[in-house]
């Protein structure tokens, strides 16, 4: 089992309720728990299915050089990029108003 963190923005109430059934909401939209890889993937499948117009990131302990791995779903300025095996974050330009 490994530490798991999911942070959501603009998530519908039903998704937040589903996450609260599995994880502890330590701050608004930030959920924490400790689960196996199989359960982690099931929880993430629920996030992807119910996120609607929101966005989310899931971070977990992993045997990588960084010590963690992460996935994202939804539209956000911060997007994951692989750089020679390291997962980094790229910032998209701000949208013009």
């Amino acid at each position: 089992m490994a530490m798991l963190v999911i942070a959501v923005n603009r998530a519908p109430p039903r998704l937040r309720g589903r996450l609260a059934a599995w994880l502890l909401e330590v701050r608004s939209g930030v959920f924490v728990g400790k689960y196996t890889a199989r359960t982690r993937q099931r929880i993430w499948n629920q996030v992807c299915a119910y996120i609607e117009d929101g966005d989310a990131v899931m971070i977990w302990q992993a045997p990588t050089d960084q010590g963690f791995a992460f996935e994202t779903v939804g539209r956000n300025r911060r997007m994951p990029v692989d750089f020679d095996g390291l997962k980094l974050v790229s910032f998209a330009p701000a949208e013009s108003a």
Side-chain angles (χ1 to χ4, degrees), residues 24-74:
L24 178 63
E25 189 171 12
V26 295
R27 289 283 190 269
S28 179
V30 179
F31 298 86
V32 179
K34 192 171 184 179
Y35 287 99
T36 64
R38 183 177 183 180
T39 304
R40 179 184 71 234
Q41 191 57 50
R42 287 183 178 192
I43 293 169
W44 186 244
N45 289 343
Q46 293 288 303
V47 172
C48 293
Y50 292 101
I51 195 65
E52 294 179 6
D53 293 328
D55 64 86
V57 62
M58 175 176 67
I59 306 103
W60 66 95
Q61 238 179 314
T64 65
D65 289 338
Q66 293 168 299
F68 63 90
F70 66 96
E71 288 189 38
T72 63
V73 66

